[in-house]
Every structure is written in C-alpha cells, then in structure tokens.
Amino acid sequence: MKVRIISLFAVALLVGCTDQSSTTPQPNDPPSTETETEPEIEEPQEMGPDLHTYFMPNQSIARFEGMGNEYATYTLETQYLYDDYIGTLEDNGGTVVQRIYRVEENRIVKIFEEVEAYEADFPPFNELESMPELETYLSLPLEEGTAFGGWTIEQVDGTLETPFQTFTDVIMLSQEGEDQSVIEKYFVEGFGEVKRVFRMPGGEGEEFEVISTLQSVD
C-alpha cells in the first residue's frame, strides 16, 4: 500500500513538472520571426510659384512705352490692398482704368474693372470678399499648353528685351478673337505683366499692331 502511494505521488510530481515546462519559455526557444513594419514617410509636395509675385511691387509706379496707338503708353500704379487682394490704376492719358484682383491658391482672378476711375477708391475687405469673379487673369500650372478663359500659355522660358531690362524665364500667353485678332501678354516673376501686344489683320495683307512695353519702375 505504501508503494502505491509513493508511485502516485511520483506520477503527480512528474505531471506538475511537465505542465510548468510547457508554459515557461526556455532559453533555447528560437527568436520570433515577426518583423516590425516601418512607418511610411510622406514625401513633401512640391509647392507651386507664389502668384502674388506676378504683380508689380507694392506702391510702385510702372511706366510703359507704347507703339502703334496714342493710348498704348500708360502708367500703372499697383497697391496691395489685403493679403490676397491687389489693385491697379492704369492711366493711358485718355482714361484711368481701375482693376482689382484676388490671388487664390492656383490662379489669379479679376473681380473688378471700371473705366474713367479718376477719383478711384478701393473698397473695404468685406466688399471685396463678396465680389464675383469676372475672369481668370493667370492660372497654374505655368506650363506650355495650359488653357483658361480663352487664354493659352505658349511659352514659359522666353527672353524679352524691354527698355527697362532684358528678362529671362518669360511667360507668354495668347488669346485669339473671332475677328482674327490676337492678344499677347508677357509675364515675369517679380514684375507681373511687362508687355502687351494687340494684332489685327488689315487690308491688303497689312497688320495693325499696338504694343506696350515696360520702360521703368519706381
């Protein structure tokens, strides 16, 4: 009887040792094969050009030399009204044209234009916010072939000689009218519009052309 009790105790002890070894990790256990996933790193997005720089400097007066028409010569006053609103006064000797532009993330829109603005005053901010857009003045991407509002970007790396200086990386836009007329605008970063051309077919194969080119900036 005593032998049987001792045998049962030995069996129980053996089972207890077996259960403990199955739950306790052994130093010879193979390492885990799971690998940690590295977090994805987002590449920074390339920022487009700041469209605010496609205007003349704040409080500047630019003078344009004209050819082909007495009103092609004009002065342009530029005023930065608020963060994203820029106003201009264009005086060609015959009239004064007031324009206001809103600079958005991907384009510039004209929201106000008035001729004979001899005593022009720029509206307050709350009025500017409620003004609807009249047309798109310039739009991203600044690449050849970009089209908006009847305009097409024809060139983005041109060279242009003006009485003021020779510009590089000039952006040229063109627009064709139903009367076969063509308007060209030339933009330079840091100065905005530096040249304007209007062409109209004339009689006997002749062409009527009016050109305004930047002459000075004060």
Side-chain angles (χ1 to χ4, degrees):
M1 190 66 174
K2 183 180 297 186
V3 174
R4 180 176 178 79
I5 293 174
I6 293 174
S7 298
L8 290 175
F9 177 77
V11 171
L13 181 62
L14 180 62
V15 171
C17 293
T18 303
D19 290 343
Q20 183 178 2
S21 62
S22 64
T23 57
T24 303
Q26 300 299 313
N28 294 328
D29 286 347
S32 174
T33 58
E34 294 183 1
T35 58
E36 295 184 0
T37 303
E38 296 183 358
E40 296 183 0
I41 301 176
E42 295 185 1
E43 295 184 1
Q45 296 183 354
E46 184 177 351
M47 300 294 292
D50 182 3
L51 292 176
H52 294 81
T53 63
Y54 285 89
F55 288 94
M56 292 290 172
N58 186 29
Q59 303 294 337
S60 65
I61 299 178
R63 292 172 176 82
F64 286 76
E65 177 185 74
M67 296 177 57
N69 186 289
E70 61 179 315
Y71 301 119
T73 299
Y74 65 90
T75 61
L76 183 72
E77 297 183 36
T78 301
Q79 182 175 342
Y80 289 38
L81 307 176
Y82 303 96
D83 287 346
D84 296 321
Y85 292 93
I86 296 174
T88 62
L89 292 172
E90 182 178 313
D91 186 349
N92 63 14
T95 188
V96 177
V97 182
Q98 180 186 22
R99 300 183 178 94
I100 302 175
Y101 303 89
R102 180 172 63 241
V103 182
E104 300 179 352
E105 183 178 359
N106 296 314
R107 61 178 186 154
I108 301 171
V109 295
K110 182 168 65 179
I111 61 173
F112 182 85
E113 183 173 70
E114 182 178 71
V115 297
E116 299 185 2
Y118 302 109
E119 298 181 359
D121 192 15
F122 292 106
F125 180 73
N126 60 336
E127 291 186 22
L128 295 175
E129 283 192 308
S130 62
M131 288 183 178
E133 65 180 72
L134 301 179
E135 65 174 351
T136 300
Y137 182 62
L138 188 62
S139 179
L140 299 180
L142 299 180
E143 300 174 354
E144 292 184 14
T146 297
F148 54 90
W151 293 92
T152 302
I153 297 179
E154 305 289 353
Q155 191 176 30
V156 295
D157 57 356
T159 300
L160 178 67
E161 293 185 8
T162 73
F164 180 62
Q165 70 177 62
T166 298
F167 294 103
T168 58
D169 297 324
V170 179
I171 301 169
M172 191 271 277
L173 285 66
S174 70
Q175 182 186 65
E176 295 185 7
E178 295 181 356
D179 56 358
Q180 298 183 321
S181 64
V182 176
I183 302 175
E184 296 175 356
K185 291 182 179 180
Y186 296 77
F187 288 84
V188 175
E189 187 174 5
F191 293 90
E193 188 177 327
V194 297
K195 185 176 181 179
R196 186 185 303 166
V197 179
F198 173 80
R199 295 189 181 95
M200 170 75 78
E204 300 180 357
E206 296 181 356
E207 187 176 62
F208 174 67
E209 188 175 58
V210 179
I211 304 174
S212 302
T213 310
L214 181 63
Q215 185 176 35
S216 66
V217 181
D218 297 328

mmCIF file of all heavy atoms in Angstrom, residues 72-118:
data_model
loop_
_atom_site.group_PDB
_atom_site.id
_atom_site.type_symbol
_atom_site.label_atom_id
_atom_site.label_comp_id
_atom_site.label_asym_id
_atom_site.label_seq_id
_atom_site.Cartn_x
_atom_site.Cartn_y
_atom_site.Cartn_z
ATOM 1 N N ALA A 72 -1.346 103.551 -76.184
ATOM 2 C CA ALA A 72 -0.530 102.391 -75.817
ATOM 3 C C ALA A 72 0.478 102.738 -74.731
ATOM 4 O O ALA A 72 0.985 101.852 -74.037
ATOM 5 C CB ALA A 72 0.187 101.848 -77.048
ATOM 6 N N THR A 73 0.797 104.023 -74.577
ATOM 7 C CA THR A 73 1.671 104.475 -73.499
ATOM 8 C C THR A 73 0.835 104.708 -72.247
ATOM 9 O O THR A 73 -0.185 105.399 -72.309
ATOM 10 C CB THR A 73 2.407 105.766 -73.892
ATOM 11 O OG1 THR A 73 3.229 105.503 -75.048
ATOM 12 C CG2 THR A 73 3.276 106.271 -72.757
ATOM 13 N N TYR A 74 1.261 104.147 -71.131
ATOM 14 C CA TYR A 74 0.471 104.326 -69.905
ATOM 15 C C TYR A 74 1.337 104.150 -68.668
ATOM 16 O O TYR A 74 2.465 103.650 -68.742
ATOM 17 C CB TYR A 74 -0.720 103.356 -69.871
ATOM 18 C CG TYR A 74 -0.366 101.886 -69.791
ATOM 19 C CD1 TYR A 74 -0.210 101.240 -68.568
ATOM 20 C CD2 TYR A 74 -0.227 101.127 -70.954
ATOM 21 C CE1 TYR A 74 0.092 99.893 -68.495
ATOM 22 C CE2 TYR A 74 0.079 99.778 -70.892
ATOM 23 C CZ TYR A 74 0.235 99.171 -69.665
ATOM 24 O OH TYR A 74 0.538 97.827 -69.598
ATOM 25 N N THR A 75 0.802 104.591 -67.541
ATOM 26 C CA THR A 75 1.423 104.339 -66.234
ATOM 27 C C THR A 75 0.531 103.383 -65.456
ATOM 28 O O THR A 75 -0.700 103.400 -65.606
ATOM 29 C CB THR A 75 1.605 105.646 -65.426
ATOM 30 O OG1 THR A 75 0.328 106.245 -65.197
ATOM 31 C CG2 THR A 75 2.507 106.613 -66.172
ATOM 32 N N LEU A 76 1.165 102.581 -64.637
ATOM 33 C CA LEU A 76 0.435 101.577 -63.860
ATOM 34 C C LEU A 76 0.829 101.694 -62.398
ATOM 35 O O LEU A 76 1.981 101.471 -62.033
ATOM 36 C CB LEU A 76 0.748 100.170 -64.376
ATOM 37 C CG LEU A 76 0.003 99.021 -63.691
ATOM 38 C CD1 LEU A 76 -1.467 99.043 -64.101
ATOM 39 C CD2 LEU A 76 0.631 97.684 -64.037
ATOM 40 N N GLU A 77 -0.131 102.055 -61.560
ATOM 41 C CA GLU A 77 0.073 102.097 -60.115
ATOM 42 C C GLU A 77 -0.461 100.796 -59.510
ATOM 43 O O GLU A 77 -1.575 100.367 -59.831
ATOM 44 C CB GLU A 77 -0.644 103.295 -59.495
ATOM 45 C CG GLU A 77 -0.136 104.641 -59.975
ATOM 46 C CD GLU A 77 -0.840 105.798 -59.282
ATOM 47 O OE1 GLU A 77 -1.157 105.656 -58.077
ATOM 48 O OE2 GLU A 77 -1.077 106.829 -59.937
ATOM 49 N N THR A 78 0.325 100.201 -58.644
ATOM 50 C CA THR A 78 -0.057 98.926 -58.027
ATOM 51 C C THR A 78 -0.098 99.090 -56.516
ATOM 52 O O THR A 78 0.823 99.645 -55.915
ATOM 53 C CB THR A 78 0.937 97.820 -58.397
ATOM 54 O OG1 THR A 78 0.980 97.680 -59.826
ATOM 55 C CG2 THR A 78 0.540 96.488 -57.770
ATOM 56 N N GLN A 79 -1.173 98.582 -55.923
ATOM 57 C CA GLN A 79 -1.341 98.684 -54.462
ATOM 58 C C GLN A 79 -1.821 97.350 -53.921
ATOM 59 O O GLN A 79 -2.818 96.793 -54.392
ATOM 60 C CB GLN A 79 -2.343 99.794 -54.117
ATOM 61 C CG GLN A 79 -2.533 99.995 -52.618
ATOM 62 C CD GLN A 79 -3.430 101.182 -52.311
ATOM 63 O OE1 GLN A 79 -3.645 102.046 -53.157
ATOM 64 N NE2 GLN A 79 -3.965 101.225 -51.108
ATOM 65 N N TYR A 80 -1.106 96.823 -52.930
ATOM 66 C CA TYR A 80 -1.516 95.595 -52.260
ATOM 67 C C TYR A 80 -2.532 95.972 -51.185
ATOM 68 O O TYR A 80 -2.176 96.563 -50.166
ATOM 69 C CB TYR A 80 -0.313 94.882 -51.649
ATOM 70 C CG TYR A 80 0.616 94.253 -52.670
ATOM 71 C CD1 TYR A 80 0.893 94.893 -53.888
ATOM 72 C CD2 TYR A 80 1.217 93.035 -52.441
ATOM 73 C CE1 TYR A 80 1.733 94.327 -54.823
ATOM 74 C CE2 TYR A 80 2.072 92.460 -53.373
ATOM 75 C CZ TYR A 80 2.324 93.120 -54.569
ATOM 76 O OH TYR A 80 3.165 92.550 -55.500
ATOM 77 N N LEU A 81 -3.787 95.615 -51.405
ATOM 78 C CA LEU A 81 -4.870 96.055 -50.529
ATOM 79 C C LEU A 81 -4.920 95.234 -49.245
ATOM 80 O O LEU A 81 -4.914 95.774 -48.144
ATOM 81 C CB LEU A 81 -6.199 95.950 -51.280
ATOM 82 C CG LEU A 81 -6.234 96.656 -52.645
ATOM 83 C CD1 LEU A 81 -7.569 96.407 -53.338
ATOM 84 C CD2 LEU A 81 -5.965 98.145 -52.492
ATOM 85 N N TYR A 82 -5.016 93.914 -49.402
ATOM 86 C CA TYR A 82 -5.031 92.976 -48.274
ATOM 87 C C TYR A 82 -4.185 91.782 -48.676
ATOM 88 O O TYR A 82 -3.568 91.787 -49.749
ATOM 89 C CB TYR A 82 -6.471 92.561 -47.926
ATOM 90 C CG TYR A 82 -7.367 93.742 -47.604
ATOM 91 C CD1 TYR A 82 -8.186 94.307 -48.578
ATOM 92 C CD2 TYR A 82 -7.367 94.311 -46.332
ATOM 93 C CE1 TYR A 82 -8.989 95.405 -48.284
ATOM 94 C CE2 TYR A 82 -8.167 95.411 -46.040
ATOM 95 C CZ TYR A 82 -8.966 95.950 -47.022
ATOM 96 O OH TYR A 82 -9.750 97.034 -46.732
ATOM 97 N N ASP A 83 -4.155 90.748 -47.850
ATOM 98 C CA ASP A 83 -3.266 89.613 -48.115
ATOM 99 C C ASP A 83 -3.426 89.059 -49.517
ATOM 100 O O ASP A 83 -2.446 88.751 -50.187
ATOM 101 C CB ASP A 83 -3.513 88.500 -47.091
ATOM 102 C CG ASP A 83 -2.966 88.857 -45.714
ATOM 103 O OD1 ASP A 83 -2.177 89.815 -45.635
ATOM 104 O OD2 ASP A 83 -3.353 88.195 -44.749
ATOM 105 N N ASP A 84 -4.656 88.911 -49.980
ATOM 106 C CA ASP A 84 -4.899 88.265 -51.266
ATOM 107 C C ASP A 84 -5.623 89.169 -52.264
ATOM 108 O O ASP A 84 -6.199 88.677 -53.241
ATOM 109 C CB ASP A 84 -5.711 86.973 -51.065
ATOM 110 C CG ASP A 84 -4.934 85.945 -50.256
ATOM 111 O OD1 ASP A 84 -3.713 85.824 -50.468
ATOM 112 O OD2 ASP A 84 -5.549 85.272 -49.404
ATOM 113 N N TYR A 85 -5.587 90.451 -52.044
ATOM 114 C CA TYR A 85 -6.246 91.393 -52.951
ATOM 115 C C TYR A 85 -5.257 92.465 -53.393
ATOM 116 O O TYR A 85 -4.581 93.092 -52.560
ATOM 117 C CB TYR A 85 -7.461 92.037 -52.278
ATOM 118 C CG TYR A 85 -8.581 91.053 -52.025
ATOM 119 C CD1 TYR A 85 -8.679 90.389 -50.805
ATOM 120 C CD2 TYR A 85 -9.530 90.771 -53.008
ATOM 121 C CE1 TYR A 85 -9.693 89.473 -50.568
ATOM 122 C CE2 TYR A 85 -10.552 89.861 -52.781
ATOM 123 C CZ TYR A 85 -10.625 89.222 -51.562
ATOM 124 O OH TYR A 85 -11.629 88.308 -51.332
ATOM 125 N N ILE A 86 -5.190 92.669 -54.703
ATOM 126 C CA ILE A 86 -4.262 93.632 -55.284
ATOM 127 C C ILE A 86 -5.025 94.515 -56.256
ATOM 128 O O ILE A 86 -5.805 94.022 -57.085
ATOM 129 C CB ILE A 86 -3.105 92.914 -55.993
ATOM 130 C CG1 ILE A 86 -2.286 92.118 -54.965
ATOM 131 C CG2 ILE A 86 -2.209 93.904 -56.733
ATOM 132 C CD1 ILE A 86 -1.203 91.253 -55.569
ATOM 133 N N GLY A 87 -4.805 95.815 -56.155
ATOM 134 C CA GLY A 87 -5.485 96.766 -57.020
ATOM 135 C C GLY A 87 -4.498 97.505 -57.912
ATOM 136 O O GLY A 87 -3.344 97.725 -57.536
ATOM 137 N N THR A 88 -4.961 97.899 -59.101
ATOM 138 C CA THR A 88 -4.118 98.661 -60.027
ATOM 139 C C THR A 88 -4.922 99.810 -60.613
ATOM 140 O O THR A 88 -6.153 99.741 -60.733
ATOM 141 C CB THR A 88 -3.598 97.787 -61.188
ATOM 142 O OG1 THR A 88 -4.705 97.289 -61.959
ATOM 143 C CG2 THR A 88 -2.782 96.614 -60.668
ATOM 144 N N LEU A 89 -4.202 100.880 -60.991
ATOM 145 C CA LEU A 89 -4.774 102.012 -61.707
ATOM 146 C C LEU A 89 -3.937 102.221 -62.958
ATOM 147 O O LEU A 89 -2.736 102.492 -62.878
ATOM 148 C CB LEU A 89 -4.762 103.276 -60.837
ATOM 149 C CG LEU A 89 -5.690 103.283 -59.625
ATOM 150 C CD1 LEU A 89 -5.420 104.511 -58.760
ATOM 151 C CD2 LEU A 89 -7.151 103.248 -60.061
ATOM 152 N N GLU A 90 -4.566 102.075 -64.105
ATOM 153 C CA GLU A 90 -3.876 102.210 -65.386
ATOM 154 C C GLU A 90 -4.333 103.508 -66.067
ATOM 155 O O GLU A 90 -5.507 103.643 -66.417
ATOM 156 C CB GLU A 90 -4.161 101.007 -66.278
ATOM 157 C CG GLU A 90 -3.441 101.027 -67.613
ATOM 158 C CD GLU A 90 -3.729 99.785 -68.440
ATOM 159 O OE1 GLU A 90 -3.653 98.671 -67.890
ATOM 160 O OE2 GLU A 90 -4.037 99.939 -69.647
ATOM 161 N N ASP A 91 -3.398 104.427 -66.251
ATOM 162 C CA ASP A 91 -3.696 105.744 -66.832
ATOM 163 C C ASP A 91 -2.981 105.858 -68.175
ATOM 164 O O ASP A 91 -1.752 105.926 -68.232
ATOM 165 C CB ASP A 91 -3.219 106.840 -65.874
ATOM 166 C CG ASP A 91 -3.616 108.237 -66.329
ATOM 167 O OD1 ASP A 91 -4.079 108.385 -67.477
ATOM 168 O OD2 ASP A 91 -3.454 109.173 -65.537
ATOM 169 N N ASN A 92 -3.769 105.889 -69.261
ATOM 170 C CA ASN A 92 -3.185 105.965 -70.605
ATOM 171 C C ASN A 92 -3.310 107.360 -71.230
ATOM 172 O O ASN A 92 -3.086 107.523 -72.432
ATOM 173 C CB ASN A 92 -3.795 104.920 -71.529
ATOM 174 C CG ASN A 92 -5.284 105.126 -71.744
ATOM 175 O OD1 ASN A 92 -5.855 106.173 -71.431
ATOM 176 N ND2 ASN A 92 -5.932 104.103 -72.292
ATOM 177 N N GLY A 93 -3.669 108.328 -70.426
ATOM 178 C CA GLY A 93 -3.812 109.683 -70.933
ATOM 179 C C GLY A 93 -5.206 110.002 -71.438
ATOM 180 O O GLY A 93 -5.596 111.169 -71.514
ATOM 181 N N GLY A 94 -5.955 108.985 -71.787
ATOM 182 C CA GLY A 94 -7.327 109.179 -72.236
ATOM 183 C C GLY A 94 -8.345 108.809 -71.181
ATOM 184 O O GLY A 94 -9.416 109.399 -71.101
ATOM 185 N N THR A 95 -7.996 107.819 -70.379
ATOM 186 C CA THR A 95 -8.860 107.396 -69.284
ATOM 187 C C THR A 95 -8.018 106.680 -68.229
ATOM 188 O O THR A 95 -6.860 106.327 -68.461
ATOM 189 C CB THR A 95 -9.986 106.464 -69.781
ATOM 190 O OG1 THR A 95 -10.911 106.223 -68.723
ATOM 191 C CG2 THR A 95 -9.421 105.140 -70.248
ATOM 192 N N VAL A 96 -8.629 106.470 -67.073
ATOM 193 C CA VAL A 96 -7.998 105.703 -65.990
ATOM 194 C C VAL A 96 -8.844 104.458 -65.750
ATOM 195 O O VAL A 96 -10.068 104.558 -65.560
ATOM 196 C CB VAL A 96 -7.883 106.524 -64.691
ATOM 197 C CG1 VAL A 96 -7.298 105.665 -63.569
ATOM 198 C CG2 VAL A 96 -7.031 107.772 -64.909
ATOM 199 N N VAL A 97 -8.208 103.305 -65.785
ATOM 200 C CA VAL A 97 -8.906 102.035 -65.570
ATOM 201 C C VAL A 97 -8.484 101.465 -64.222
ATOM 202 O O VAL A 97 -7.281 101.300 -63.961
ATOM 203 C CB VAL A 97 -8.598 101.025 -66.687
ATOM 204 C CG1 VAL A 97 -9.391 99.734 -66.453
ATOM 205 C CG2 VAL A 97 -8.921 101.612 -68.050
ATOM 206 N N GLN A 98 -9.465 101.218 -63.378
ATOM 207 C CA GLN A 98 -9.212 100.616 -62.072
ATOM 208 C C GLN A 98 -9.547 99.133 -62.133
ATOM 209 O O GLN A 98 -10.618 98.737 -62.606
ATOM 210 C CB GLN A 98 -10.053 101.281 -60.989
ATOM 211 C CG GLN A 98 -9.838 100.707 -59.596
ATOM 212 C CD GLN A 98 -10.785 101.295 -58.564
ATOM 213 O OE1 GLN A 98 -11.842 101.814 -58.914
ATOM 214 N NE2 GLN A 98 -10.417 101.226 -57.298
ATOM 215 N N ARG A 99 -8.624 98.313 -61.647
ATOM 216 C CA ARG A 99 -8.843 96.862 -61.621
ATOM 217 C C ARG A 99 -8.482 96.327 -60.241
ATOM 218 O O ARG A 99 -7.569 96.834 -59.589
ATOM 219 C CB ARG A 99 -8.014 96.149 -62.692
ATOM 220 C CG ARG A 99 -8.315 96.586 -64.125
ATOM 221 C CD ARG A 99 -7.506 95.776 -65.129
ATOM 222 N NE ARG A 99 -7.808 96.149 -66.500
ATOM 223 C CZ ARG A 99 -7.129 97.042 -67.211
ATOM 224 N NH1 ARG A 99 -6.072 97.646 -66.658
ATOM 225 N NH2 ARG A 99 -7.467 97.321 -68.452
ATOM 226 N N ILE A 100 -9.179 95.290 -59.827
ATOM 227 C CA ILE A 100 -8.885 94.622 -58.559
ATOM 228 C C ILE A 100 -8.810 93.123 -58.831
ATOM 229 O O ILE A 100 -9.658 92.550 -59.531
ATOM 230 C CB ILE A 100 -9.949 94.913 -57.482
ATOM 231 C CG1 ILE A 100 -10.067 96.422 -57.242
ATOM 232 C CG2 ILE A 100 -9.600 94.202 -56.174
ATOM 233 C CD1 ILE A 100 -11.169 96.805 -56.281
ATOM 234 N N TYR A 101 -7.791 92.498 -58.257
ATOM 235 C CA TYR A 101 -7.557 91.067 -58.455
ATOM 236 C C TYR A 101 -7.560 90.345 -57.106
ATOM 237 O O TYR A 101 -7.165 90.904 -56.082
ATOM 238 C CB TYR A 101 -6.206 90.832 -59.135
ATOM 239 C CG TYR A 101 -6.048 91.534 -60.457
ATOM 240 C CD1 TYR A 101 -5.550 92.837 -60.509
ATOM 241 C CD2 TYR A 101 -6.379 90.914 -61.651
ATOM 242 C CE1 TYR A 101 -5.385 93.494 -61.715
ATOM 243 C CE2 TYR A 101 -6.226 91.557 -62.867
ATOM 244 C CZ TYR A 101 -5.725 92.856 -62.898
ATOM 245 O OH TYR A 101 -5.567 93.505 -64.098
ATOM 246 N N ARG A 102 -8.011 89.098 -57.140
ATOM 247 C CA ARG A 102 -7.923 88.228 -55.970
ATOM 248 C C ARG A 102 -6.956 87.093 -56.286
ATOM 249 O O ARG A 102 -7.099 86.418 -57.321
ATOM 250 C CB ARG A 102 -9.293 87.650 -55.595
ATOM 251 C CG ARG A 102 -9.235 86.726 -54.367
ATOM 252 C CD ARG A 102 -10.615 86.304 -53.885
ATOM 253 N NE ARG A 102 -11.346 85.533 -54.866
ATOM 254 C CZ ARG A 102 -12.510 85.907 -55.402
ATOM 255 N NH1 ARG A 102 -13.072 87.043 -55.050
ATOM 256 N NH2 ARG A 102 -13.115 85.147 -56.291
ATOM 257 N N VAL A 103 -5.982 86.894 -55.413
ATOM 258 C CA VAL A 103 -4.986 85.839 -55.605
ATOM 259 C C VAL A 103 -5.441 84.601 -54.844
ATOM 260 O O VAL A 103 -5.568 84.628 -53.618
ATOM 261 C CB VAL A 103 -3.594 86.286 -55.123
ATOM 262 C CG1 VAL A 103 -2.578 85.187 -55.370
ATOM 263 C CG2 VAL A 103 -3.181 87.576 -55.820
ATOM 264 N N GLU A 104 -5.696 83.531 -55.573
ATOM 265 C CA GLU A 104 -6.094 82.268 -54.974
ATOM 266 C C GLU A 104 -4.921 81.299 -55.006
ATOM 267 O O GLU A 104 -3.826 81.650 -55.461
ATOM 268 C CB GLU A 104 -7.310 81.706 -55.722
ATOM 269 C CG GLU A 104 -8.518 82.652 -55.681
ATOM 270 C CD GLU A 104 -9.713 82.114 -56.451
ATOM 271 O OE1 GLU A 104 -9.563 81.083 -57.150
ATOM 272 O OE2 GLU A 104 -10.796 82.723 -56.350
ATOM 273 N N GLU A 105 -5.145 80.088 -54.524
ATOM 274 C CA GLU A 105 -4.047 79.124 -54.420
ATOM 275 C C GLU A 105 -3.483 78.751 -55.784
ATOM 276 O O GLU A 105 -2.268 78.614 -55.955
ATOM 277 C CB GLU A 105 -4.523 77.858 -53.699
ATOM 278 C CG GLU A 105 -3.425 76.831 -53.486
ATOM 279 C CD GLU A 105 -3.911 75.612 -52.729
ATOM 280 O OE1 GLU A 105 -5.101 75.572 -52.345
ATOM 281 O OE2 GLU A 105 -3.095 74.698 -52.513
ATOM 282 N N ASN A 106 -4.361 78.601 -56.778
ATOM 283 C CA ASN A 106 -3.922 78.116 -58.080
ATOM 284 C C ASN A 106 -4.176 79.088 -59.228
ATOM 285 O O ASN A 106 -3.908 78.742 -60.383
ATOM 286 C CB ASN A 106 -4.610 76.780 -58.408
ATOM 287 C CG ASN A 106 -4.227 75.686 -57.434
ATOM 288 O OD1 ASN A 106 -3.053 75.514 -57.122
ATOM 289 N ND2 ASN A 106 -5.207 74.957 -56.936
ATOM 290 N N ARG A 107 -4.674 80.276 -58.927
ATOM 291 C CA ARG A 107 -4.961 81.208 -60.015
ATOM 292 C C ARG A 107 -5.148 82.617 -59.470
ATOM 293 O O ARG A 107 -5.291 82.836 -58.270
ATOM 294 C CB ARG A 107 -6.215 80.779 -60.785
ATOM 295 C CG ARG A 107 -7.461 80.757 -59.919
ATOM 296 C CD ARG A 107 -8.698 80.382 -60.693
ATOM 297 N NE ARG A 107 -9.897 80.500 -59.869
ATOM 298 C CZ ARG A 107 -11.112 80.723 -60.343
ATOM 299 N NH1 ARG A 107 -11.316 80.832 -61.644
ATOM 300 N NH2 ARG A 107 -12.142 80.836 -59.529
ATOM 301 N N ILE A 108 -5.142 83.577 -60.408
ATOM 302 C CA ILE A 108 -5.466 84.963 -60.111
ATOM 303 C C ILE A 108 -6.733 85.298 -60.879
ATOM 304 O O ILE A 108 -6.828 85.031 -62.085
ATOM 305 C CB ILE A 108 -4.336 85.902 -60.555
ATOM 306 C CG1 ILE A 108 -3.017 85.548 -59.866
ATOM 307 C CG2 ILE A 108 -4.698 87.354 -60.260
ATOM 308 C CD1 ILE A 108 -1.822 86.297 -60.424
ATOM 309 N N VAL A 109 -7.716 85.872 -60.201
ATOM 310 C CA VAL A 109 -8.961 86.239 -60.871
ATOM 311 C C VAL A 109 -9.174 87.751 -60.754
ATOM 312 O O VAL A 109 -8.840 88.358 -59.740
ATOM 313 C CB VAL A 109 -10.179 85.485 -60.295
ATOM 314 C CG1 VAL A 109 -10.056 83.992 -60.549
ATOM 315 C CG2 VAL A 109 -10.334 85.753 -58.812
ATOM 316 N N LYS A 110 -9.706 88.322 -61.815
ATOM 317 C CA LYS A 110 -10.079 89.733 -61.781
ATOM 318 C C LYS A 110 -11.513 89.826 -61.286
ATOM 319 O O LYS A 110 -12.399 89.147 -61.801
ATOM 320 C CB LYS A 110 -9.955 90.350 -63.178
ATOM 321 C CG LYS A 110 -10.283 91.832 -63.218
ATOM 322 C CD LYS A 110 -9.861 92.465 -64.554
ATOM 323 C CE LYS A 110 -10.650 91.915 -65.709
ATOM 324 N NZ LYS A 110 -10.288 92.532 -66.999
ATOM 325 N N ILE A 111 -11.730 90.652 -60.263
ATOM 326 C CA ILE A 111 -13.064 90.745 -59.674
ATOM 327 C C ILE A 111 -13.686 92.127 -59.847
ATOM 328 O O ILE A 111 -14.858 92.317 -59.522
ATOM 329 C CB ILE A 111 -13.030 90.380 -58.171
ATOM 330 C CG1 ILE A 111 -12.126 91.346 -57.395
ATOM 331 C CG2 ILE A 111 -12.584 88.932 -57.976
ATOM 332 C CD1 ILE A 111 -12.162 91.154 -55.889
ATOM 333 N N PHE A 112 -12.911 93.088 -60.369
ATOM 334 C CA PHE A 112 -13.457 94.436 -60.535
ATOM 335 C C PHE A 112 -12.703 95.154 -61.649
ATOM 336 O O PHE A 112 -11.481 95.043 -61.754
ATOM 337 C CB PHE A 112 -13.326 95.231 -59.233
ATOM 338 C CG PHE A 112 -13.905 96.629 -59.308
ATOM 339 C CD1 PHE A 112 -15.253 96.842 -59.087
ATOM 340 C CD2 PHE A 112 -13.092 97.716 -59.597
ATOM 341 C CE1 PHE A 112 -15.782 98.126 -59.157
ATOM 342 C CE2 PHE A 112 -13.611 98.993 -59.672
ATOM 343 C CZ PHE A 112 -14.970 99.203 -59.451
ATOM 344 N N GLU A 113 -13.466 95.885 -62.478
ATOM 345 C CA GLU A 113 -12.859 96.715 -63.520
ATOM 346 C C GLU A 113 -13.790 97.886 -63.812
ATOM 347 O O GLU A 113 -14.987 97.689 -64.027
ATOM 348 C CB GLU A 113 -12.597 95.919 -64.793
ATOM 349 C CG GLU A 113 -11.909 96.727 -65.883
ATOM 350 C CD GLU A 113 -11.518 95.869 -67.074
ATOM 351 O OE1 GLU A 113 -12.443 95.429 -67.798
ATOM 352 O OE2 GLU A 113 -10.312 95.618 -67.270
ATOM 353 N N GLU A 114 -13.219 99.076 -63.820
ATOM 354 C CA GLU A 114 -14.018 100.271 -64.074
ATOM 355 C C GLU A 114 -13.171 101.291 -64.836
ATOM 356 O O GLU A 114 -12.033 101.581 -64.443
ATOM 357 C CB GLU A 114 -14.510 100.875 -62.757
ATOM 358 C CG GLU A 114 -15.397 102.100 -62.927
ATOM 359 C CD GLU A 114 -15.904 102.623 -61.603
ATOM 360 O OE1 GLU A 114 -15.079 103.185 -60.851
ATOM 361 O OE2 GLU A 114 -17.091 102.447 -61.310
ATOM 362 N N VAL A 115 -13.726 101.834 -65.922
ATOM 363 C CA VAL A 115 -13.044 102.873 -66.686
ATOM 364 C C VAL A 115 -13.469 104.238 -66.158
ATOM 365 O O VAL A 115 -14.453 104.358 -65.422
ATOM 366 C CB VAL A 115 -13.361 102.750 -68.183
ATOM 367 C CG1 VAL A 115 -12.843 101.426 -68.727
ATOM 368 C CG2 VAL A 115 -14.857 102.877 -68.437
ATOM 369 N N GLU A 116 -12.699 105.243 -66.531
ATOM 370 C CA GLU A 116 -12.933 106.617 -66.072
ATOM 371 C C GLU A 116 -12.950 106.694 -64.541
ATOM 372 O O GLU A 116 -13.761 107.399 -63.944
ATOM 373 C CB GLU A 116 -14.223 107.180 -66.662
ATOM 374 C CG GLU A 116 -14.198 107.244 -68.195
ATOM 375 C CD GLU A 116 -15.426 107.912 -68.778
ATOM 376 O OE1 GLU A 116 -16.294 108.362 -68.016
ATOM 377 O OE2 GLU A 116 -15.503 107.974 -70.013
ATOM 378 N N ALA A 117 -12.030 105.970 -63.945
ATOM 379 C CA ALA A 117 -11.936 105.931 -62.472
ATOM 380 C C ALA A 117 -10.969 107.017 -62.004
ATOM 381 O O ALA A 117 -9.909 106.732 -61.426
ATOM 382 C CB ALA A 117 -11.484 104.549 -62.018
ATOM 383 N N TYR A 118 -11.338 108.279 -62.269
ATOM 384 C CA TYR A 118 -10.432 109.390 -61.976
ATOM 385 C C TYR A 118 -10.307 109.653 -60.473
ATOM 386 O O TYR A 118 -9.281 110.154 -60.021
ATOM 387 C CB TYR A 118 -10.920 110.650 -62.691
ATOM 388 C CG TYR A 118 -11.017 110.472 -64.194
ATOM 389 C CD1 TYR A 118 -12.254 110.402 -64.829
ATOM 390 C CD2 TYR A 118 -9.866 110.339 -64.964
ATOM 391 C CE1 TYR A 118 -12.342 110.232 -66.205
ATOM 392 C CE2 TYR A 118 -9.942 110.162 -66.332
ATOM 393 C CZ TYR A 118 -11.187 110.102 -66.955
ATOM 394 O OH TYR A 118 -11.268 109.920 -68.312
#
